[in-house]
Amino acid sequence: MDAEVPQPTGSLADSFRRLIRNTGPISLTHFMGESNTRYYADKDPLGRGQDGGGDFITAPEISQMFGELIGLWMADVWIRSGREEYVHYVELGPGRGTLAKDALRAARKYGLEPRIHFVETSQALKDIQLTTVPGAIWHNDLSTVPQDGPILLIANEFMDALPIRQLVRSGGSWRERKVGLQDDEFVFVAGAQPMDSAVPADMRDAPEGAILETCPGAAAVMYEIAGRLVDQGGVALIVDYGHDAMRLGSTLQAVRSHQKVEPFATPGKADLTAHVDFATLAKVAISRDARHLGTVAQGDWLRALGIETRAQNLAARAPQYADEIAAACDRLIADDQMGQLFKAMGFASPNWPDAVGFTED
C-alpha cells in the first residue's frame, strides 16, 4: 500500500511560496483572489478600530443615514416606475447587513417591501446577517438570484475587493505583472509573454515601468447586473472608491487594523483592495443596453438625497449625539474624507425612470 501523502500545512504565504517554487511566478489575480477568500472566510473584518476592533469600517457602519437614504432612493424610483409588487432587493457583499436593515426600514415606510437576497460567501458574515436581516435568502453569486421580477441592486464596497490584473511596461512591451520570490520574499516580476494587444492603443507607448490595472471580475459582475436590468427591469447602485476615467498606476493596497500594510506582508490576514474603474464598468453596462444614469462623487450624491437635512433632524431629536451625528455626516460627504474618493454610479433598465442624485434638477 502506498504511504499516505502528507498534506501541506502552514500559512497561505507558505502555500504561495511552495507554489511559486514549483511552478514559477503566479498572477496577481491568483494572489489577491486566494488572499481575500481566506481573509473573509471566517471573520468579521468590520469595526471602528482601537476598542472597536476590526480592520476597516464602511459607510453603513459609520451612520444609519447612509442606508436610510439608499432606502429612500430605491423607494422613490420604485414608486415612479409603477410600484410593481414582486420586486427583489439584491445586495452584493452586504457586510453585517446594516445597510440592508437601514435601507429596508426606510423603504418600508413608502410601501416597498421587496424579497431580500444577499450575495455572500463568508460564513462568519452570514451568521451576523441572519440576525440583522432574518428574512434574507443567501446566494454564492448572482446566478441563483430569481429572474421573475425587477431588481433593486446595491453593491457598496464590493467591487474594490475583486481580484485585479496588472500589466507593466517592461523591455519595450507590456507584460503581465506577476508575483515571484526573491530571497524567499514576495516581489513583483514581469511575465515573459508580451501582451500589448491587451492594452488600449492610446496607452501602448507609455513610459517604461508604467502599470495598467484591470479587474475582469468586476467587469463580469457588471455584465451580469446589466443583463438582468434589461431582462427583468430595475435599478442598480454601485458605491465604492475609485476613479471615473481609466488611468495608469497601481492602486493595490492592504489594510489591517485600520492601517495600511504592505500587500505581500500577510496574505490572507489583511484586506486587499484596488480602486474601481467606474468608466470601464459603465462601458460594460452600456454594451448590454442598460442605461447609465451617471457617476458622481459620493458626497455630491448624498447631498442631493438630503443627508445634511437628515443629520439636522437626527440631531434635533437626540441633541446629546449632535456632535457624533455631525462628525459622521462630515466623514461621508467631506472632500477630504469619503466625499470625493468614493463614487456612486447608477444604472437602470431601459424602461425605468431616472433616479435622484444622477439627474440635474
Side-chain angles (χ1 to χ4, degrees):
M1 181 180 292
D2 293 337
E4 184 177 349
V5 177
Q7 295 301 308
T9 60
S11 67
L12 182 58
D14 292 335
S15 298
F16 281 146
R17 288 188 178 95
R18 283 192 294 270
L19 179 61
I20 293 169
R21 291 192 196 103
N22 290 333
T23 65
I26 61 175
S27 68
L28 178 57
T29 304
H30 183 171
F31 185 94
M32 185 174 176
E34 290 286 340
S35 296
N36 278 352
T37 296
R38 177 76 64 89
Y39 174 77
Y40 282 101
D42 58 2
K43 68 177 292 187
D44 172 13
L46 297 165
R48 293 181 176 272
Q50 299 178 350
D51 294 341
D55 289 327
F56 59 88
I57 190 169
T58 58
E61 305 295 333
I62 292 172
S63 172
Q64 69 186 66
M65 294 183 288
F66 186 79
E68 289 172 344
L69 291 175
I70 287 177
L72 296 177
W73 180 84
M74 292 190 308
D76 173 72
V77 70
W78 170 75
I79 289 168
R80 290 187 290 108
S81 73
R83 292 179 177 265
E84 186 165 341
E85 289 188 13
Y86 200 85
V87 61
H88 301 284
Y89 172 89
V90 182
E91 187 172 348
L92 310 185
R96 291 174 172 168
T98 305
L99 190 158
K101 180 186 69 174
D102 293 336
L104 294 169
R105 183 183 65 248
R108 199 173 297 120
K109 296 177 181 179
Y110 295 89
L112 174 57
E113 298 193 48
R115 290 143 190 86
I116 305 164
H117 302 272
F118 286 164
V119 175
E120 179 62 75
T121 58
S122 166
Q123 188 57 53
L125 289 173
K126 284 181 182 178
D127 291 340
I128 298 171
Q129 294 158 11
L130 179 63
T131 301
T132 309
V133 188
I137 300 169
W138 283 268
H139 307 266
N140 289 327
D141 55 49
L142 276 169
S143 66
T144 56
V145 173
Q147 302 182 38
D148 55 356
I151 60 170
L152 307 172
L153 185 141
I154 309 297
N156 178 63
E157 291 199 54
F158 173 80
M159 299 291 192
D160 64 273
L162 297 179
I164 60 169
R165 181 189 193 188
Q166 289 185 343
L167 301 178
V168 59
R169 177 85 166 160
S170 177
S173 63
W174 286 91
R175 302 170 189 270
E176 185 168 10
R177 202 177 188 214
K178 296 189 173 185
V179 182
L181 287 174
Q182 182 177 338
D183 299 328
D184 220 32
E185 297 295 326
F186 297 115
V187 294
F188 279 116
V189 296
Q193 185 70 32
M195 302 183 68
D196 294 67
S197 61
V199 177
D202 60 346
M203 293 183 173
R204 289 178 188 169
D205 293 330
E208 187 80 359
I211 296 169
L212 178 65
E213 253 177 24
T214 62
C215 187
V221 171
M222 192 70 252
Y223 187 85
E224 172 71 7
I225 292 171
R228 283 177 172 267
L229 290 176
V230 172
D231 294 340
Q232 297 175 235
V235 291
L237 175 69
I238 316 295
V239 183
D240 224 311
Y241 65 94
H243 42 267
D244 52 12
M246 180 175 280
R247 61 182 66 175
L248 295 173
S250 173
T251 67
L252 177 68
Q253 67 176 25
V255 174
R256 188 177 185 185
S257 298
H258 295 265
Q259 300 293 326
K260 288 187 178 181
V261 297
E262 289 297 321
F264 292 158
T266 54
K269 296 181 180 179
D271 181 40
L272 294 181
T273 65
H275 287 202
V276 174
D277 178 0
F278 286 98
T280 294
L281 295 186
K283 290 178 182 177
V284 170
I286 292 169
S287 75
R288 297 213 72 182
D289 296 324
R291 285 203 305 126
H292 177 218
L293 301 176
T295 302
V296 299
Q298 175 177 291
D300 294 338
W301 189 75
L302 290 173
R303 288 188 187 94
L305 268 64
I307 191 172
E308 291 162 314
T309 300
R310 178 59 177 155
Q312 292 169 3
N313 291 339
L314 285 175
R317 294 179 188 175
Q320 68 273 31
Y321 297 114
D323 290 344
E324 182 179 333
I325 293 168
C329 182
D330 187 65
R331 185 166 182 181
L332 292 172
I333 67 175
D335 289 353
D336 60 349
Q337 299 282 327
M338 299 174 71
Q340 284 296 318
L341 177 59
F342 281 71
K343 308 291 190 298
M345 180 170 63
F347 296 96
S349 165
N351 59 353
W352 271 55
D354 290 336
V356 177
F358 298 109
T359 55
E360 295 183 3
D361 294 328

PDB file of all heavy atoms in Angstrom, residues 327-341:
ATOM      1  N   ALA A 327     -20.199  64.618  12.908  1.00  0.00           N
ATOM      2  CA  ALA A 327     -18.918  64.031  12.513  1.00  0.00           C
ATOM      3  C   ALA A 327     -19.124  62.911  11.501  1.00  0.00           C
ATOM      4  O   ALA A 327     -18.363  62.775  10.534  1.00  0.00           O
ATOM      5  CB  ALA A 327     -18.184  63.508  13.740  1.00  0.00           C
ATOM      6  N   ALA A 328     -20.164  62.098  11.709  1.00  0.00           N
ATOM      7  CA  ALA A 328     -20.451  61.013  10.777  1.00  0.00           C
ATOM      8  C   ALA A 328     -20.852  61.556   9.411  1.00  0.00           C
ATOM      9  O   ALA A 328     -20.409  61.061   8.370  1.00  0.00           O
ATOM     10  CB  ALA A 328     -21.558  60.131  11.343  1.00  0.00           C
ATOM     11  N   CYS A 329     -21.677  62.581   9.413  1.00  0.00           N
ATOM     12  CA  CYS A 329     -22.093  63.203   8.156  1.00  0.00           C
ATOM     13  C   CYS A 329     -20.888  63.762   7.417  1.00  0.00           C
ATOM     14  O   CYS A 329     -20.738  63.566   6.206  1.00  0.00           O
ATOM     15  CB  CYS A 329     -23.116  64.303   8.437  1.00  0.00           C
ATOM     16  SG  CYS A 329     -23.760  65.111   6.958  1.00  0.00           S
ATOM     17  N   ASP A 330     -20.015  64.424   8.148  1.00  0.00           N
ATOM     18  CA  ASP A 330     -18.817  65.004   7.544  1.00  0.00           C
ATOM     19  C   ASP A 330     -17.929  63.915   6.948  1.00  0.00           C
ATOM     20  O   ASP A 330     -17.381  64.081   5.850  1.00  0.00           O
ATOM     21  CB  ASP A 330     -18.048  65.796   8.597  1.00  0.00           C
ATOM     22  CG  ASP A 330     -16.882  66.568   7.998  1.00  0.00           C
ATOM     23  OD1 ASP A 330     -17.131  67.489   7.189  1.00  0.00           O
ATOM     24  OD2 ASP A 330     -15.719  66.246   8.327  1.00  0.00           O
ATOM     25  N   ARG A 331     -17.803  62.813   7.649  1.00  0.00           N
ATOM     26  CA  ARG A 331     -16.959  61.729   7.142  1.00  0.00           C
ATOM     27  C   ARG A 331     -17.505  61.178   5.831  1.00  0.00           C
ATOM     28  O   ARG A 331     -16.743  60.798   4.940  1.00  0.00           O
ATOM     29  CB  ARG A 331     -16.852  60.617   8.178  1.00  0.00           C
ATOM     30  CG  ARG A 331     -15.887  59.506   7.774  1.00  0.00           C
ATOM     31  CD  ARG A 331     -15.548  58.600   8.922  1.00  0.00           C
ATOM     32  NE  ARG A 331     -14.601  57.580   8.519  1.00  0.00           N
ATOM     33  CZ  ARG A 331     -14.132  56.623   9.307  1.00  0.00           C
ATOM     34  NH1 ARG A 331     -14.534  56.579  10.581  1.00  0.00           N
ATOM     35  NH2 ARG A 331     -13.281  55.717   8.861  1.00  0.00           N
ATOM     36  N   LEU A 332     -18.797  61.141   5.688  1.00  0.00           N
ATOM     37  CA  LEU A 332     -19.406  60.586   4.488  1.00  0.00           C
ATOM     38  C   LEU A 332     -19.349  61.517   3.286  1.00  0.00           C
ATOM     39  O   LEU A 332     -19.267  61.053   2.141  1.00  0.00           O
ATOM     40  CB  LEU A 332     -20.867  60.217   4.761  1.00  0.00           C
ATOM     41  CG  LEU A 332     -21.115  59.048   5.723  1.00  0.00           C
ATOM     42  CD1 LEU A 332     -22.594  58.930   6.038  1.00  0.00           C
ATOM     43  CD2 LEU A 332     -20.587  57.742   5.145  1.00  0.00           C
ATOM     44  N   ILE A 333     -19.378  62.847   3.526  1.00  0.00           N
ATOM     45  CA  ILE A 333     -19.526  63.771   2.394  1.00  0.00           C
ATOM     46  C   ILE A 333     -18.373  64.738   2.193  1.00  0.00           C
ATOM     47  O   ILE A 333     -18.258  65.332   1.117  1.00  0.00           O
ATOM     48  CB  ILE A 333     -20.839  64.582   2.510  1.00  0.00           C
ATOM     49  CG1 ILE A 333     -20.805  65.539   3.703  1.00  0.00           C
ATOM     50  CG2 ILE A 333     -22.039  63.650   2.584  1.00  0.00           C
ATOM     51  CD1 ILE A 333     -22.029  66.457   3.788  1.00  0.00           C
ATOM     52  N   ALA A 334     -17.505  64.931   3.186  1.00  0.00           N
ATOM     53  CA  ALA A 334     -16.434  65.929   3.052  1.00  0.00           C
ATOM     54  C   ALA A 334     -15.434  65.509   1.981  1.00  0.00           C
ATOM     55  O   ALA A 334     -15.125  64.330   1.821  1.00  0.00           O
ATOM     56  CB  ALA A 334     -15.722  66.117   4.391  1.00  0.00           C
ATOM     57  N   ASP A 335     -14.926  66.482   1.248  1.00  0.00           N
ATOM     58  CA  ASP A 335     -13.985  66.198   0.165  1.00  0.00           C
ATOM     59  C   ASP A 335     -12.723  65.507   0.658  1.00  0.00           C
ATOM     60  O   ASP A 335     -12.128  64.695  -0.064  1.00  0.00           O
ATOM     61  CB  ASP A 335     -13.607  67.497  -0.552  1.00  0.00           C
ATOM     62  CG  ASP A 335     -14.751  68.050  -1.390  1.00  0.00           C
ATOM     63  OD1 ASP A 335     -15.782  67.357  -1.518  1.00  0.00           O
ATOM     64  OD2 ASP A 335     -14.612  69.170  -1.905  1.00  0.00           O
ATOM     65  N   ASP A 336     -12.273  65.829   1.874  1.00  0.00           N
ATOM     66  CA  ASP A 336     -11.051  65.237   2.397  1.00  0.00           C
ATOM     67  C   ASP A 336     -11.315  63.961   3.197  1.00  0.00           C
ATOM     68  O   ASP A 336     -10.402  63.417   3.818  1.00  0.00           O
ATOM     69  CB  ASP A 336     -10.277  66.242   3.264  1.00  0.00           C
ATOM     70  CG  ASP A 336     -11.083  66.730   4.457  1.00  0.00           C
ATOM     71  OD1 ASP A 336     -12.309  66.463   4.514  1.00  0.00           O
ATOM     72  OD2 ASP A 336     -10.490  67.388   5.340  1.00  0.00           O
ATOM     73  N   GLN A 337     -12.560  63.493   3.188  1.00  0.00           N
ATOM     74  CA  GLN A 337     -12.894  62.229   3.839  1.00  0.00           C
ATOM     75  C   GLN A 337     -13.320  61.229   2.735  1.00  0.00           C
ATOM     76  O   GLN A 337     -12.511  60.879   1.911  1.00  0.00           O
ATOM     77  CB  GLN A 337     -14.016  62.449   4.864  1.00  0.00           C
ATOM     78  CG  GLN A 337     -13.636  63.429   5.972  1.00  0.00           C
ATOM     79  CD  GLN A 337     -12.751  62.785   7.029  1.00  0.00           C
ATOM     80  OE1 GLN A 337     -12.879  61.602   7.320  1.00  0.00           O
ATOM     81  NE2 GLN A 337     -11.864  63.576   7.605  1.00  0.00           N
ATOM     82  N   MET A 338     -14.577  60.839   2.726  1.00  0.00           N
ATOM     83  CA  MET A 338     -15.049  59.893   1.710  1.00  0.00           C
ATOM     84  C   MET A 338     -15.751  60.576   0.544  1.00  0.00           C
ATOM     85  O   MET A 338     -16.073  59.929  -0.458  1.00  0.00           O
ATOM     86  CB  MET A 338     -16.012  58.885   2.353  1.00  0.00           C
ATOM     87  CG  MET A 338     -15.406  58.053   3.452  1.00  0.00           C
ATOM     88  SD  MET A 338     -16.627  56.996   4.302  1.00  0.00           S
ATOM     89  CE  MET A 338     -16.967  55.765   3.043  1.00  0.00           C
ATOM     90  N   GLY A 339     -15.979  61.875   0.651  1.00  0.00           N
ATOM     91  CA  GLY A 339     -16.842  62.577  -0.282  1.00  0.00           C
ATOM     92  C   GLY A 339     -16.423  62.555  -1.730  1.00  0.00           C
ATOM     93  O   GLY A 339     -17.266  62.434  -2.627  1.00  0.00           O
ATOM     94  N   GLN A 340     -15.118  62.665  -2.009  1.00  0.00           N
ATOM     95  CA  GLN A 340     -14.651  62.712  -3.390  1.00  0.00           C
ATOM     96  C   GLN A 340     -14.049  61.399  -3.869  1.00  0.00           C
ATOM     97  O   GLN A 340     -14.275  60.996  -5.008  1.00  0.00           O
ATOM     98  CB  GLN A 340     -13.609  63.837  -3.555  1.00  0.00           C
ATOM     99  CG  GLN A 340     -14.213  65.228  -3.602  1.00  0.00           C
ATOM    100  CD  GLN A 340     -15.102  65.434  -4.818  1.00  0.00           C
ATOM    101  OE1 GLN A 340     -14.780  65.013  -5.927  1.00  0.00           O
ATOM    102  NE2 GLN A 340     -16.226  66.111  -4.628  1.00  0.00           N
ATOM    103  N   LEU A 341     -13.292  60.726  -3.024  1.00  0.00           N
ATOM    104  CA  LEU A 341     -12.664  59.469  -3.431  1.00  0.00           C
ATOM    105  C   LEU A 341     -13.707  58.411  -3.758  1.00  0.00           C
ATOM    106  O   LEU A 341     -13.563  57.644  -4.705  1.00  0.00           O
ATOM    107  CB  LEU A 341     -11.729  58.962  -2.327  1.00  0.00           C
ATOM    108  CG  LEU A 341     -11.051  57.613  -2.589  1.00  0.00           C
ATOM    109  CD1 LEU A 341     -10.203  57.661  -3.851  1.00  0.00           C
ATOM    110  CD2 LEU A 341     -10.202  57.189  -1.391  1.00  0.00           C
TER     111      LEU A 341
END
